Every structure is written in structure tokens, then in C-alpha cells.
Amino acid sequence: MNRHPDYLLNRVNNPADIKSMSLEQLKQLATEMRQLVLERDAAIGGHVGPNLGIMETAIAYHYVFDSPHDKVVWDVSHQCYPHKMLTGRKLGFLDPDHYGDISGYTSPEESVHDFFEIGHTSTSVSLAVGLAQARDLMHPESNDNIVAVIGDGSLSGGLAFEGLNNAAKLHSNLIIVVNDNQMAIDKDQGGLYKGLKELRDSNGKAENNIFKFMGLDYKYIAYGNDLQTMINAFKDVKDIDHPIVLHVNTLKGKGYQPAVDDKMDWHWQPPFDIKTGKVKETTNAENYSDAILTELGKQIDGGVPVVALNAAIPGVFNLKQFQAKYPDHYYDVGIAEQDSITTAVAMATAGARPVVFQNSTFLQRAYDQLIHDMALNDAPVVMIVRGGTIASDSATHQGTFDISMISNLPNIEYLAPTNVEELISMLKWALKQTEQPVIIREPEKKLLHGKASQDDYSLIHYDVARDGSEVAIMAVGDFWQLGIDVCEELQKKLNINATLINPKSLTGIDQNYLHHLSENHDVVVTLEDGNVSGGFGETIARYYGPKAMKVLNFGAPREFADNVPLDVLYEWYHLTPDQIVDDIEKVIHAL
Amino acid sequence: MNRHPDYLLNRVNNPADIKSMSLEQLKQLATEMRQLVLERDAAIGGHVGPNLGIMETAIAYHYVFDSPHDKVVWDVSHQCYPHKMLTGRKLGFLDPDHYGDISGYTSPEESVHDFFEIGHTSTSVSLAVGLAQARDLMHPESNDNIVAVIGDGSLSGGLAFEGLNNAAKLHSNLIIVVNDNQMAIDKDQGGLYKGLKELRDSNGKAENNIFKFMGLDYKYIAYGNDLQTMINAFKDVKDIDHPIVLHVNTLKGKGYQPAVDDKMDWHWQPPFDIKTGKVKETTNAENYSDAILTELGKQIDGGVPVVALNAAIPGVFNLKQFQAKYPDHYYDVGIAEQDSITTAVAMATAGARPVVFQNSTFLQRAYDQLIHDMALNDAPVVMIVRGGTIASDSATHQGTFDISMISNLPNIEYLAPTNVEELISMLKWALKQTEQPVIIREPEKKLLHGKASQDDYSLIHYDVARDGSEVAIMAVGDFWQLGIDVCEELQKKLNINATLINPKSLTGIDQNYLHHLSENHDVVVTLEDGNVSGGFGETIARYYGPKAMKVLNFGAPREFADNVPLDVLYEWYHLTPDQIVDDIEKVIHAL
């Protein structure tokens, strides 16, 4: 039910509806919409600070410009809630029953006012340049405005720079709004921000101006959270005939004190209490990230020159406490995934022990650095990767490609532990390597205790948890528990005493064991929590290709899934113990 | 045999040997070394302009600094010949019998003066920052100099910007030499170069300075090909206690007029005649790239809004003539692979028909743009990829990862034509798509004529060139001829009339046909000219995993190969018809 039938926003069905509103009405809209951002995020979680800070920019944009003829590309699009409220999707914010109708990012499937599905940073300028190029080629008479909005934090990503560099070649309309709230997700990192500060401090008048250096026109707007100011700013540049940067100073979290006070935590929050600003469910349960950091601390205390690197996502790995305790051993490169790997390669080559913390979905941005910089140079970088598992997340952040991304590359060992003791054993071994990068897939599910069955992973020896016959289950990493469940189901339903194997590695295979397995097994089943295409299971299928052994690979298909509940996904992907045992049964019957 | 026993260079066994030389002697060295660059390149091909232009920088570097305590990272390292001549590897240039001893890029295996194996651009600053970070962490008392050399062309690559941004955070020695020769491989692209020109034109005094903007110290050197000037410049900054940019103006190709006159062609040349500057073997044979461009021309003439995009490598695809004929339909983003994809996504979304020309090894730099920007948005980008095949190339440029990189991603159709008519048929279909990116793997081997067996590739129907029994050969793209040869060998040696299949697609599989194949075949053999790990063959192995069919996958193993002759590689990888038939025979005997 609509919680605010009295809100002015109810009158807005499309952006044109705000054009006749008075400034006071627009300000009222801003107040209402801030409340709605908070209510939605408090209920289901979401981006808080970015949406609160962009409010006046979004309202002024739709007041001045004519969407969708004029087109705006929101970088990352984690600040698109106000835009969504004004473009026909207000119910996704007014009515809790409709929260689920609306995704957290721009989505062409939802609205003609959204042009791209976006969730990664630093793409908006290149996208806007492409829209402008297409406009100029196909409709040279068109005077549609193309607007890119990009945060100061996103500017450190190399793609943003590539986009700006080519934007300067345009001889036609392009408006680049640099939304400068002095934050990446964590603090901004790097020299760029010294320059931006001088621009802010001089009210945009500093001679030294990176945008002008590149030939871009430039204007500074000091009060980006003042509605009239933003309306005037947009009116001034509307229909401009060349590219211009509008450098707009805003306050991240504007209008909600907890979000202003702690900008990193309030970048994105799980459900919280609006009054107190307290997150509803926090857990102090032991977790894999803390276990890793405890071990790194021990290593540093023991004199090992460990450096924990990340690219603007310390929160994902609980790195802030580590940073406080070991400031010289912590390095955040900002939003710059490529740089995080290449710098780590050089550190490792010089004898330091870099440990790079990456999200699978963002590591995609450094694929060539994995190949050409890291693997080719046999650089003993250690990396911890999270987020590769099948998840009920936004498709923009789907991380299930990590196994096909990493495990098919030369010289890299990609390990998948099944419990915390094994994880730490692998980490210790990884830190001792001098000739090889080692990547560890940090488990995502509930922490399991167990043991490590080897402490030297130079040669992988499969760990056999159950020694059975007929059917062998190879359960990788986070699907270890699923492997146990499938074995139990096989016993119960088919009276098969299956063998259960922990393969540990996503790269190397234990050929001796696989050969030996043929003696008293007919079917090998692989279970991997990721994209099955190009994954671990196919390596096993290839190994047994010329042999009599039957192989069944389970994992996610080659597709995107957008915010689908995990149990539904498992059902779709044939990943419940029932379904898996049914599939095995069919193969056995055909033998 | 040493062709120049009289050269002063013969006295140089390590960099220290030049420290006692007079300026005149050093100038003589430069003259000799330029001649040696030309002789080696004229004989075996190689980078010409970059090595000629960097000569004085390299000599001055080793005269002033103390390698390998001081460390220099050459970006791309395609300008490392002078460095190699001064660091114990002169025979690789003086003696044609030893040309093969020395690779074209820096190589830690060759020398302690080389720190990384490098062949891709824009990495040197991040690498140097990593070396500096490791130095500061592990040896805070050290006063070793760390030097990065990076060309102006490489600065447009986003990673270079990420590196500069983080370089500015250092509070210790780092010297970044921006070798400004006013060229990428082709002309520089983008607004950055307007700014660099203003710096050159003002002798480094322009207020607007991107390096200073980022907090980096800065000096301009107008005469970078003057030895005394470069020696003084390096002496001035040696042991500096903070990061500084030395912006050095040089002439690409300096000392060899043909290379000065045509800087793009002389960036890299195959064997040529030094006197005339004529390349020895040119071919006017018909080739796949020209066929593609002819078709694009037809489409443009017919009103289709095609845009041919590339990232600084027009020469690889013969794009210069196309550019001259269709300037509005040509777009070079400079060295900025990420931007090339993201911009193309937006163009395609807006209704234009971007066709992106990429080298497989460089496309690695845009992996996330393939996933998050292109595939997730179902953007109907068309892409032509070269360089994926197994080749006797430098490991730095090994492109064999393209199939595992692309074909495991959702929503993308990756097609592998076997002849030029099929290629054009695929291209025409690709240009008609509105909901899906299509990538075509341009064949590398001798152009074959044939026919297209379908013109709509929405559903892949395998083309059966020979309908046999027992053994089926699936020969992909450039391995089509190998497939024919294997069939003949099977007939001859085992009297087997094998089926020969052209699968056409590296992504979709023709399940009906594969099912039907089981009726009278026992063995399926896949032949793919690329990395077998995560490749096409594994998809087939997975399909047949639970079935009786035996599958044998052939391709390159998960490894780097560095300048190995192709016939040797094929032998190593078990890719000769003989070896393949032997392997098939073993499987048949075990049936």
C-alpha cells in the first residue's frame, strides 16, 4: 500500500510533470524523495549516500532536460533512485509491496528513460560518447542533449580517463557532470583528488585544470545541493554545441546525518532503523575474512613483508581494522582494479608479499593484468577472491565467471577451500611461493571447520572424505555441503555408497587419483558453485572424454540472473540434491 | 659472426663500462647502436621507430644510474634494444647468428637488468610504483632510484592514468619519463594530446599541467635526442626524494629518414632493405581483412550506419584505406581498449552498427567491458577478432585465450568461419542483429574459398563436409584444413571414412546433430586453434560426458610459448595429423 498518498510525488507520472512545478514544490519533492530513499533502503537495503547526495541534480536534470530525447547516463547507476521516482517508477518507493518491482540500478527493461544496465564504475563517459557519436552519425541535425554523470571516486578508474580523452574529440553536444562528493566508496585515493580539491577551493578558477588540459570546456558549481543553482547550471549548458564538464560539489548522504557522518558505511547499507541509524542484523559470527586477516597479522608480526591491497572495497573484507593496526601494510589503490594487480606484480617481484583482495565481478576489470602482468611474469602474488558463487544478486554484479576467467590461464594456481582450516593452510602455502601466483576463492557460505589434508599444494592430492564405489562426487569449495547432501541422498534413494572428493584446486587435477577412480566407479559428478561453462567440471569431462567413465557437470549455465532468490536459482539450475540424484540415476540406468 | 668488431660497443659488457666514456664516445655508441637496430630489424623484423627515438634516453640512463640497483621499467618494452645492447646482450645485435638469442621485449630470463616480461602498453608506471612500494616497505633506508619510461601514446590507456594517480601518493623516489614522440602506433588520439602539445610549445611552462594537477613534480626536456641534455636531466633528478615526471620530447625514428617520414609503418616492420626502406616481402594476395572492409563499404554505401572502431591498430586490419574512403565511419579511440568496447555498446544501443576490430591479446584488456557493458546489455556490437590462433609469436602477445575468454560468456555469439564466403555471410548476419553481440574470429591462415551453408546463424546447424562413420572430426575455424588432413590420414592409415564437421560457432552447439551423431559414431574429435582449456572442445566433452561417445580434444595446453616455431609447437601440442590419428587409434583400440 502507498505509505504516502499525500506526497506531491504521486502527481509525477513522467518527468514532464515536474516542469510546471514551482521551486517550492520541487524542494518539497526533494524532501519527500529523500524520505523515500531512506524508507526503501531501511526496509530492503540499498545505496543510501549516493542517492541522497544526487537529489537536486536529478530533479534539476528532469526539470531542465527533455527525457528520453535528451539522455542521461548515470555512472554505476547506484544513484538512480531519484531518477527512477521521476520516470514512472515512484510506486517502487512509495509502496513497500512494490519495492521488488524496481532494481537498484538503471534498467532499460523498466523504462525508456534508462539506456543501460549498469553496476560497475567509470563507464558513463564512454557510454555517453558512444550515444553522441551515434547521434552525430545518424541524425546530424539532432539537438538532443547527452549527459554523463560520474562521481569523483569513479574518475580514478582508467576507463573514465579513456572516456574523457575521447570525449574531447567531439565537436558536438556532450555534458559531463562530475558529481564531486569527495568520496570513492571509501576515501578517494590518489593525486587526482589534490587537483580536484584545488578546483573546489578556488571556486573552479585554479589555472591547473585536468579537464581544460584535455580541451574540455569547464564550469564549477559550488552548491550542487541547491536546487535553483542546479536548475540554472543545467539551463546554462543545455543545447551546448561542444563537450563541457560541469564540476558539481555535493554532499554524500545529504539530509541524513548518520550517512553524512560515516560516508563509507552508508554508501550501501543492509536494512536499518531510520531513527537510530542502526543496522538491524549484524553478526559477530566468525567468518573467513577475519580468519585471513588474523593470519596475515601473524605473518607481519613474524616479519613477513605482507601488503594487503584492495581497490576501494575494504568493507567487503573487513579490512578497516587491519588498516588501523598495520597502516604500512595496507594499500588501497582506489577504484583502479587494473592498477591493483599490476602494482602487486611489481611488489611480489621485488620480494614483498602482496595479498590482493578482490570481488570476482570487479576482478573482471583486470583480466589482462592477470594474464600479461601476473601469470606471464610468474609473479608470486597472493589473491583472495570473493563473490564468485551463484547468488541472488543483481546481474550487474554477477561474479560466477571467476572460474572460467582464472582457471584456464597458465601459471596460476586457483584454490577452493572447503573450510577455514584448509583456507588458512592454503594461505600459508601461498605466502611461501616465489615463482607462482596463487589465488584463493574465499568461501561465501556459513563458516565450516574441518582440517587441511595437505600443507603443500604444489601437487594436488584429492582429499577423499568418503571412499565408496559406483558414483564419485567431486564437490568444489562452497558446494562441499551440497556434495555431502548428494551422497546422503544417493545412499537413501539408490542405496549407493558414493565416494566424496574435495578437489581443492580449480586448476590442477590429480590425474593419478582420477585414473585410480576408474577401477570401481562408473560415474563422476562435479559440483561447482559458479559458471559451468569453461569451469572446473569441463576439465574433468575432458580428462575422461576418451575413457569409459561417465561425467556429469553441475553448476550455473551460461546466463545472467537478476535478483532471483537463491532457492529458485538452484531449482532452475538443477542444483538441489534431489535433482542431482535424479540426473545421476538416469545415467546409471543407461549404463 | 660479429659484423662490427671495430665498434666501440664491443667494449661494453655491462652498463658500468660506459660510465668512463667521453661524450664523444657516447655519441659514437649512439650512432653504432642505431645502425645495429636497423640491421637487426632489416634482417628479422622488429620495432624500428621506438628504438631509434629512445637511443639517447637509454644511453644517458645507464651513464647516470646504477643498474640493476637502480631499476628502469620500459613501457611495452618495444624500445628496449638500446638497453639490451648496454646490458650484456650486444651480441644479439652485432652478430646475426645471435639475433635469435634475444627477444624483442625485456626479459628477466635474459638479464638481471630486466625486471618484467612486458609487451602490452601502459603498465610501466604501476609496475614502478609497486617496485617503489616494496623498496619503501622492506628497505626504508634504500636510495635506489626507480624509473618508469612511458610513451605519450601509452598514456591514453586507462591503466597508465591509474598508475600516475597512485604514483602521486608516494613520499619517496620515483622518476617517470614521459617519452613524448607525438605518436601512438598510429597518430595520438584524444584531448590529452592537446594538453601535452601546450606543454611542449611552452617549453613545459604552461600553467595547465596534468601531472602537476595530480601533485607530481615536473620538468620538461625539449631536446630528448641530445645526449648531454639527457645526461644532465637524469643527473638533476637522480636520488630525488619524491615522484617526478620528466617530460622528454623525442623524435620517433630519429636517424633513419624513412622511419621519420612514415612513423606508423615504421613502428614495427618486417624485414626490409636499409638503403631503400622497402619492405622485402609484401603480398597483394587477397586476405580476410580486405574482404571484411569491402563488405562494410557496401553496407555504408547502402545506407547502413556502420562505424569501424579500433584501438590504435588500424594497420593490423588494413583500416587506413577504409578511413580515407569513409572518414565519418571510422573511429580510432587510441590505446584504450576498454573505451573501444564501451563506446561501441552505446553506439549499438543508439542504432548505429559499430564493428570493433580487435587483436585477441589486447582484447584481454576489455574483458569486463565484454561482460558487464556488452553482454549484459545485449548490445548488438559486431566485433572482428584476430590473433587468437597458436603462433610463433612472443609470449607477451599470445592470443590463444580468446575462446575461453569469450565463448563462456552469456548472450554473445562467437563465430569461427572456415572460408571467406562464410566469413562474409556471418558478417552480414551479424550486422542485422539487434539484440545480441556477435564476434567473428577472423581466420589467420591462407585465405580459403568455399561457401556458407547457412545465412541465418540464430540457430547453428553444423555443416557436414564428409558424411562418414565411426569417427567424427569437428574442425573449428583455422583448423579446418587440419580437419581435412586428419580425415585423409584416417582413411589412409586406419581405413576409416570419418565424418568432417564445421561447427561454425564457438558458443552454441547443434544438439540435434550431436545426438544424431551417436547413432553411427564412437569417437568425436575436436580441433581448435587455441587454448583447449575452457575452449570449444570442452563444451563437446561436457555434452557427451554422460553418454557413451568418446571425445578427444585437441588444441594448445594451458601455457605460454615464447617465439617457438609453429611446426615445433604443433609437434609439442600433438597437433600434426599423424599424432592426432595415433591418439584416435588408441581410443578406438580401447573400445
Side-chain angles (χ1 to χ4, degrees):
Chain A
M1 207 174 73
N2 188 332
R3 292 181 65 181
H4 301 283
D6 56 318
Y7 270 15
L8 183 57
L9 181 65
N10 289 286
R11 292 196 223 155
V12 182
N13 293 311
N14 65 61
D17 295 334
I18 71 167
K19 288 181 186 295
S20 55
M21 287 187 178
S22 68
L23 183 63
E24 285 318 303
Q25 286 177 309
L26 294 174
K27 283 184 179 171
Q28 187 184 327
L29 267 190
T31 304
E32 293 173 4
M33 287 160 66
R34 281 205 164 86
Q35 178 64 23
L36 294 177
V37 166
L38 289 174
E39 287 180 8
R40 180 184 156 108
D41 285 345
I44 63 170
H47 285 96
V48 183
N51 284 301
L52 294 177
I54 204 74
M55 194 59 71
E56 285 74 19
T57 303
I59 295 173
Y61 173 82
H62 283 296
Y63 182 78
V64 173
F65 292 96
D66 179 22
S67 181
H69 299 292
D70 296 326
K71 294 174 177 60
V72 58
V73 185
W74 302 97
D75 199 71
V76 197
S77 79
H78 60 326
Q79 76 293 63
C80 69
Y81 297 5
H83 164 81
K84 288 198 173 190
M85 293 185 213
L86 299 175
T87 53
R89 289 166 280 182
K90 57 181 186 294
L91 220 54
F93 298 85
L94 286 161
D95 183 346
D97 297 339
H98 287 277
Y99 283 168
D101 300 354
I102 299 297
S103 81
Y105 301 94
T106 54
S107 166
E109 287 184 14
E110 286 179 11
S111 169
V112 296
H113 300 279
D114 294 6
F115 307 97
F116 305 101
E117 185 101 24
I118 311 175
H120 288 191
T121 65
S122 313
T123 70
S124 67
V125 180
S126 296
L127 289 171
V129 170
L131 291 179
Q133 295 266 11
R135 175 198 61 199
D136 298 347
L137 178 70
M138 298 166 66
H139 312 287
E141 75 297 340
S142 159
N143 56 0
D144 291 350
N145 290 272
I146 308 286
V147 180
V149 177
I150 186 163
D152 53 317
S154 296
L155 282 184
S156 65
L159 175 55
F161 178 75
E162 295 180 2
L164 287 170
N165 189 43
N166 280 309
K169 287 160 68 176
L170 283 175
H171 298 287
S172 58
N173 174 282
L174 180 73
I175 298 160
I176 301 165
V177 177
V178 172
N179 176 47
D180 188 348
N181 59 27
Q182 297 103 66
M183 287 295 288
I185 301 171
D186 194 5
K187 289 199 171 60
D188 282 326
Q189 294 290 340
L192 172 65
Y193 301 99
K194 184 194 151 286
L196 289 180
K197 181 172 189 309
E198 280 175 18
L199 282 172
R200 292 194 308 273
D201 290 351
S202 64
N203 201 27
K205 296 199 168 52
E207 282 287 340
N208 203 347
N209 180 317
I210 190 170
F211 306 110
K212 288 188 180 176
F213 181 88
M214 295 168 84
L216 293 160
D217 196 359
Y218 172 88
K219 278 192 185 180
Y220 181 68
I221 313 294
Y223 302 101
N225 291 114
D226 182 74
L227 203 42
Q228 186 65 58
T229 301
M230 283 310 297
I231 289 171
N232 294 346
F234 279 140
K235 281 185 173 168
D236 283 350
V237 297
K238 192 181 179 190
D239 301 332
I240 197 167
D241 66 355
H242 60 270
I244 186 168
V245 169
L246 270 192
H247 181 189
V248 180
N249 181 45
T250 64
L251 180 65
K252 193 167 182 172
K254 169 85 179 176
Y256 187 59
Q257 203 55 41
V260 172
D261 292 341
D262 185 347
K263 295 189 176 67
M264 188 184 103
D265 271 2
W266 286 89
H267 176 79
W268 190 97
Q269 280 287 39
F272 58 91
D273 183 279
I274 296 182
K275 270 200 190 131
T276 63
K278 286 247 157 62
V279 169
K280 282 181 175 157
E281 284 181 43
T282 53
T283 169
N284 288 318
E286 53 177 354
N287 64 71
Y288 291 101
S289 293
D290 287 344
I292 291 168
L293 295 174
T294 301
E295 177 59 31
L296 293 188
K298 279 187 205 166
Q299 299 264 347
I300 292 168
D301 295 343
V304 180
V306 164
V307 183
L309 282 95
N310 79 103
I313 50 166
V316 175
F317 295 95
N318 300 351
L319 277 161
K320 296 302 283 183
Q321 275 182 295
F322 179 90
Q323 176 187 13
K325 190 162 176 194
Y326 301 101
D328 294 345
H329 296 262
Y330 174 82
Y331 186 43
D332 178 357
V333 298
I335 294 173
E337 291 81 6
Q338 301 180 91
D339 182 66
S340 74
I341 307 298
T342 306
T343 295
V345 165
M347 287 181 177
T349 304
R353 303 315 330 262
V355 181
V356 188
F357 291 82
Q358 289 278 4
N359 243 344
S360 170
T361 192
F362 301 141
L363 181 57
Q364 293 168 187
R365 299 175 84 97
Y367 181 66
D368 186 49
Q369 288 67 43
L370 292 181
I371 299 174
H372 171 272
D373 302 353
M374 192 172 87
L376 179 64
N377 283 285
D378 299 322
V381 171
V382 179
M383 197 181 303
I384 308 291
V385 173
R386 280 196 67 175
T389 53
I390 301 164
S392 59
D393 204 351
S394 164
T396 52
H397 290 70
Q398 184 169 324
T400 52
F401 309 108
D402 65 316
I403 303 176
S404 58
M405 168 167 64
I406 296 169
S407 68
N408 298 310
L409 304 180
N411 300 359
I412 300 175
E413 182 64 42
Y414 193 23
L415 298 171
T418 55
N419 62 64
V420 68
E421 286 74 17
E422 191 172 46
L423 167 65
I424 298 305
S425 159
M426 289 170 172
L427 177 61
K428 284 179 174 170
W429 175 78
L431 286 165
K432 279 185 222 143
Q433 299 315 300
T434 56
E435 307 269 312
Q436 182 186 37
V438 179
I439 307 185
I440 300 173
R441 198 180 205 236
E442 181 180 331
E444 296 289 333
K445 296 195 191 298
K446 189 171 161 294
L447 184 137
L448 297 178
H449 283 284
K451 64 177 182 52
S453 58
Q454 59 187 104
D455 51 20
D456 178 346
Y457 297 84
S458 315
L459 280 177
I460 294 296
H461 301 293
Y462 287 164
D463 185 27
V464 182
R466 275 174 63 137
D467 203 355
S469 60
E470 287 185 80
V471 176
I473 309 292
M474 301 182 74
V476 179
D478 267 310
F479 269 1
W480 181 245
Q481 184 59 50
L482 179 61
I484 294 171
D485 296 346
V486 168
C487 284
E488 283 172 9
E489 189 72 17
L490 276 170
Q491 189 81 60
K492 213 166 67 186
K493 191 165 173 198
L494 304 179
N495 201 27
I496 287 175
N497 178 28
T499 294
L500 179 61
I501 299 159
N502 171 11
K504 302 182 217 174
S505 170
L506 296 160
T507 38
I509 58 173
D510 183 347
Q511 297 212 15
N512 285 340
Y513 184 80
L514 288 182
H515 180 75
H516 153 82
L517 203 59
S518 304
E519 290 165 16
N520 57 341
H521 292 78
D522 305 311
V523 183
V524 167
V525 176
T526 65
L527 307 176
E528 66 195 296
D529 198 350
N531 187 10
V532 77
S533 185
F536 168 76
E538 287 190 350
T539 313
I540 303 300
R542 170 157 61 94
Y543 173 83
Y544 283 123
K547 301 184 173 64
M549 183 77 82
K550 301 289 176 288
V551 178
L552 268 169
N553 300 140
F554 290 90
R558 192 168 71 89
E559 69 177 42
F560 291 109
D562 197 32
N563 291 304
V564 182
L566 196 54
D567 54 341
V568 177
L569 270 185
Y570 282 177
E571 198 79 28
W572 284 359
Y573 295 169
H574 246 240
L575 290 176
T576 69
D578 262 5
Q579 294 170 312
I580 293 168
V581 169
D582 283 352
D583 289 354
I584 295 171
E585 191 177 6
K586 279 177 209 147
V587 174
I588 291 171
H589 282 168
L591 282 175
Chain B
M1 207 175 74
N2 186 334
R3 291 179 66 179
H4 301 284
D6 55 318
Y7 270 16
L8 184 57
L9 181 65
N10 288 288
R11 291 197 222 155
V12 182
N13 292 313
N14 66 62
D17 295 333
I18 71 167
K19 287 183 187 292
S20 54
M21 287 187 181
S22 68
L23 182 63
E24 284 317 303
Q25 287 178 310
L26 294 174
K27 284 184 179 173
Q28 187 185 327
L29 267 190
T31 304
E32 295 174 2
M33 287 160 67
R34 282 204 163 88
Q35 177 63 23
L36 294 177
V37 166
L38 289 175
E39 288 181 8
R40 181 185 154 108
D41 285 346
I44 63 170
H47 285 96
V48 182
N51 284 301
L52 295 177
I54 204 72
M55 194 60 70
E56 285 74 20
T57 303
I59 295 173
Y61 173 81
H62 283 296
Y63 183 79
V64 173
F65 292 97
D66 180 23
S67 179
H69 299 292
D70 296 327
K71 295 174 177 58
V72 58
V73 185
W74 303 96
D75 197 71
V76 198
S77 80
H78 61 326
Q79 77 293 63
C80 69
Y81 297 6
H83 164 80
K84 288 199 173 190
M85 292 186 213
L86 299 175
T87 53
R89 289 166 280 182
K90 57 182 185 294
L91 220 54
F93 298 85
L94 285 162
D95 184 346
D97 297 339
H98 287 277
Y99 283 167
D101 300 355
I102 298 298
S103 81
Y105 301 94
T106 53
S107 167
E109 287 185 14
E110 285 179 12
S111 169
V112 295
H113 300 279
D114 294 6
F115 307 98
F116 306 101
E117 186 103 23
I118 312 175
H120 289 191
T121 65
S122 315
T123 70
S124 67
V125 179
S126 295
L127 289 171
V129 170
L131 291 178
Q133 295 265 12
R135 174 198 62 198
D136 298 347
L137 178 69
M138 297 165 68
H139 313 286
E141 75 298 338
S142 159
N143 56 1
D144 292 349
N145 291 271
I146 308 285
V147 180
V149 177
I150 186 162
D152 53 317
S154 296
L155 282 183
S156 65
L159 175 55
F161 179 75
E162 295 180 2
L164 286 169
N165 189 42
N166 279 310
K169 287 160 68 176
L170 282 176
H171 298 286
S172 57
N173 174 283
L174 181 73
I175 299 161
I176 300 166
V177 176
V178 172
N179 176 47
D180 187 347
N181 59 26
Q182 295 102 68
M183 288 294 288
I185 299 170
D186 193 5
K187 290 199 171 60
D188 282 326
Q189 295 289 339
L192 172 64
Y193 300 99
K194 185 194 150 288
L196 289 181
K197 180 173 189 309
E198 280 174 18
L199 282 171
R200 291 194 308 273
D201 290 351
S202 64
N203 202 26
K205 297 199 167 52
E207 282 286 341
N208 206 344
N209 181 319
I210 190 171
F211 307 110
K212 287 188 181 177
F213 182 89
M214 296 168 84
L216 293 160
D217 197 359
Y218 173 87
K219 278 192 184 178
Y220 180 69
I221 313 294
Y223 302 101
N225 290 114
D226 182 73
L227 202 42
Q228 185 65 58
T229 301
M230 284 309 298
I231 289 171
N232 293 346
F234 279 140
K235 280 185 174 168
D236 283 351
V237 297
K238 191 181 179 188
D239 300 332
I240 198 166
D241 66 355
H242 60 271
I244 186 168
V245 169
L246 268 194
H247 181 188
V248 180
N249 180 46
T250 63
L251 179 65
K252 193 166 181 173
K254 169 85 179 177
Y256 186 59
Q257 203 54 39
V260 173
D261 292 340
D262 185 347
K263 295 190 175 67
M264 187 184 102
D265 272 1
W266 286 88
H267 177 78
W268 189 96
Q269 279 287 39
F272 58 91
D273 182 278
I274 296 182
K275 270 200 190 131
T276 62
K278 286 246 156 63
V279 169
K280 283 182 177 159
E281 283 180 43
T282 55
T283 169
N284 287 317
E286 53 177 355
N287 65 72
Y288 291 101
S289 293
D290 287 343
I292 292 167
L293 295 174
T294 300
E295 177 59 30
L296 293 188
K298 281 186 203 165
Q299 300 264 346
I300 291 168
D301 295 342
V304 180
V306 165
V307 182
L309 283 95
N310 79 101
I313 50 166
V316 175
F317 295 94
N318 300 352
L319 278 162
K320 296 303 282 182
Q321 273 183 295
F322 178 91
Q323 176 187 12
K325 189 162 178 193
Y326 301 102
D328 293 346
H329 295 262
Y330 175 83
Y331 187 42
D332 178 356
V333 300
I335 295 173
E337 291 81 7
Q338 301 180 91
D339 182 66
S340 73
I341 308 298
T342 306
T343 295
V345 165
M347 287 182 178
T349 303
R353 304 315 331 262
V355 180
V356 188
F357 291 83
Q358 288 279 5
N359 244 344
S360 171
T361 191
F362 300 140
L363 181 58
Q364 292 167 188
R365 300 175 84 98
Y367 181 66
D368 187 48
Q369 287 68 41
L370 292 181
I371 299 173
H372 171 273
D373 301 352
M374 191 171 88
L376 179 64
N377 283 285
D378 298 323
V381 172
V382 178
M383 197 180 304
I384 308 291
V385 173
R386 282 195 65 176
T389 53
I390 301 164
S392 59
D393 204 351
S394 164
T396 51
H397 289 71
Q398 184 170 324
T400 53
F401 308 109
D402 64 316
I403 303 177
S404 57
M405 168 168 63
I406 296 168
S407 68
N408 298 310
L409 304 180
N411 300 0
I412 299 175
E413 182 63 42
Y414 192 23
L415 297 171
T418 55
N419 61 64
V420 68
E421 286 74 18
E422 191 172 47
L423 167 65
I424 298 305
S425 159
M426 289 170 172
L427 177 60
K428 284 179 175 171
W429 175 77
L431 286 165
K432 280 184 222 144
Q433 299 315 299
T434 55
E435 306 269 313
Q436 181 186 38
V438 179
I439 308 186
I440 300 174
R441 197 181 207 233
E442 181 180 331
E444 297 289 333
K445 295 195 192 298
K446 190 171 161 296
L447 185 137
L448 297 178
H449 284 286
K451 61 177 184 53
S453 57
Q454 61 186 104
D455 51 21
D456 178 345
Y457 297 84
S458 315
L459 280 177
I460 294 297
H461 301 294
Y462 287 165
D463 184 27
V464 182
R466 276 175 63 138
D467 203 355
S469 60
E470 287 186 80
V471 176
I473 309 292
M474 302 182 74
V476 180
D478 267 310
F479 269 1
W480 181 244
Q481 184 59 51
L482 178 63
I484 295 172
D485 296 346
V486 169
C487 284
E488 284 173 10
E489 189 73 17
L490 277 169
Q491 190 81 60
K492 214 166 67 185
K493 191 164 173 198
L494 303 179
N495 200 27
I496 288 174
N497 178 29
T499 294
L500 178 62
I501 299 160
N502 171 12
K504 301 181 219 174
S505 169
L506 296 160
T507 37
I509 58 174
D510 182 348
Q511 296 212 15
N512 286 339
Y513 184 80
L514 288 182
H515 180 75
H516 153 81
L517 203 59
S518 304
E519 291 166 14
N520 57 342
H521 292 78
D522 305 311
V523 183
V524 166
V525 177
T526 65
L527 307 177
E528 66 194 296
D529 198 351
N531 187 9
V532 76
S533 185
F536 167 77
E538 287 190 349
T539 313
I540 304 299
R542 169 156 63 95
Y543 173 83
Y544 282 123
K547 301 183 174 64
M549 184 76 83
K550 302 290 174 288
V551 177
L552 267 170
N553 300 140
F554 290 90
R558 192 167 71 90
E559 68 177 42
F560 292 109
D562 198 32
N563 291 303
V564 183
L566 196 55
D567 54 341
V568 176
L569 271 184
Y570 281 179
E571 198 78 31
W572 284 359
Y573 295 168
H574 246 239
L575 290 175
T576 69
D578 263 5
Q579 292 170 316
I580 293 168
V581 169
D582 283 353
D583 288 355
I584 295 171
E585 191 177 6
K586 278 177 209 147
V587 174
I588 291 172
H589 282 170
L591 283 174

